[in-house]
Amino acid sequence: MTLRIRHFGTALAIALSLATTVQAQDEPKTPLGKKMAAMNTAMKAVGRQIDDPSKNASTLEQIAIIETNAKASLTLEPEKKEKVPAAEQAKFVSDYQAGIKKLLVVVDKMKAAVKAGNNAEASKLLDEMKGNQREGHKEFRL
Ligand code: HEM
């Protein structure tokens, strides 16, 4: 009996430590990662309702979240910077900032399209935004 209780305790400890590990993997590791994760959640919400004009007020709120976090991302630097030779780091950071600014242009256009009730155009801009994400990650993410 004592043995069984001890085994149960061991199993519980293992289960808890696994659960903590899984959660830790999901959490953003860097301040920039946190901004990105917030953009990601908002972008998914936009994706679910971009074709529905009755949701445009809520879609605009989600776009505002993307905008705020993209602007905040401009003040942070990718962790990959440290892997780049010192002489190239300044260019790496300014290229990264240019990538975020490009995203912000698309965010602005999407906001205007939704305000104008042009959901078809906004949907195309969402694809463009995903393109910005792909390019940005290829170049600047570790
Ligand atoms: C709406 C577009 C975007 C979304 C939804 C997005 C989403 C994400 C997500 C979910 C992560 C992982 C966060 C984590 O859990 O640690 C991430 C990381 C990252 N993203 Fe984005 N991203 C977008 C656009 C961009 C753009 C345009 C760039 C660069 C120009 C960029 C650069 C990065 C970098 C550098 C990281 C790694 C974080 C670090 O180095 O600290 N992302 N992004």
Side-chain angles (χ1 to χ4, degrees):
M1 186 64 186
T2 326
L3 195 65
R4 250 193 230 160
I5 288 172
R6 211 182 287 147
H7 277 167
F8 178 73
T10 310
L12 196 67
I14 291 171
L16 279 175
S17 82
L18 278 177
T20 319
T21 311
V22 169
Q23 199 187 14
Q25 275 175 351
D26 280 352
E27 274 171 21
K29 301 173 296 298
T30 62
L32 178 57
K34 287 197 180 101
K35 306 295 173 199
M36 291 282 163
M39 286 205 278
N40 202 34
T41 306
M43 193 175 76
K44 282 186 184 155
V46 169
R48 283 195 295 272
Q49 60 192 43
I50 196 75
D51 295 324
D52 183 352
S54 76
K55 302 256 170 70
N56 280 356
S58 145
T59 300
L60 283 169
E61 285 173 16
Q62 297 301 321
I63 296 173
I65 294 174
I66 300 176
E67 185 176 13
T68 306
N69 284 282
K71 283 183 177 161
S73 299
L74 274 178
T75 67
L76 299 166
E77 296 181 340
E79 57 178 344
K80 189 178 172 184
K81 177 189 162 190
E82 300 309 322
K83 310 273 179 205
V84 169
E88 292 163 28
Q89 287 184 354
K91 183 180 185 306
F92 177 83
V93 172
S94 75
D95 287 350
Y96 156 77
Q97 287 167 343
I100 297 290
K101 284 180 187 159
K102 237 171 104 179
L103 170 68
L104 279 164
V105 172
V106 179
V107 170
D108 235 35
K109 286 189 194 163
M110 188 190 268
K111 199 161 55 173
V114 174
K115 277 187 185 163
N118 191 346
N119 287 67
E121 174 66 13
S123 183
K124 280 191 206 151
L125 290 161
L126 180 64
D127 288 337
E128 210 175 305
M129 192 180 275
K130 289 177 184 165
N132 291 128
Q133 178 185 10
R134 258 193 310 276
E135 278 173 34
H137 289 182
K138 205 163 67 185
E139 225 174 314
F140 304 108
R141 197 178 171 183
L142 266 184

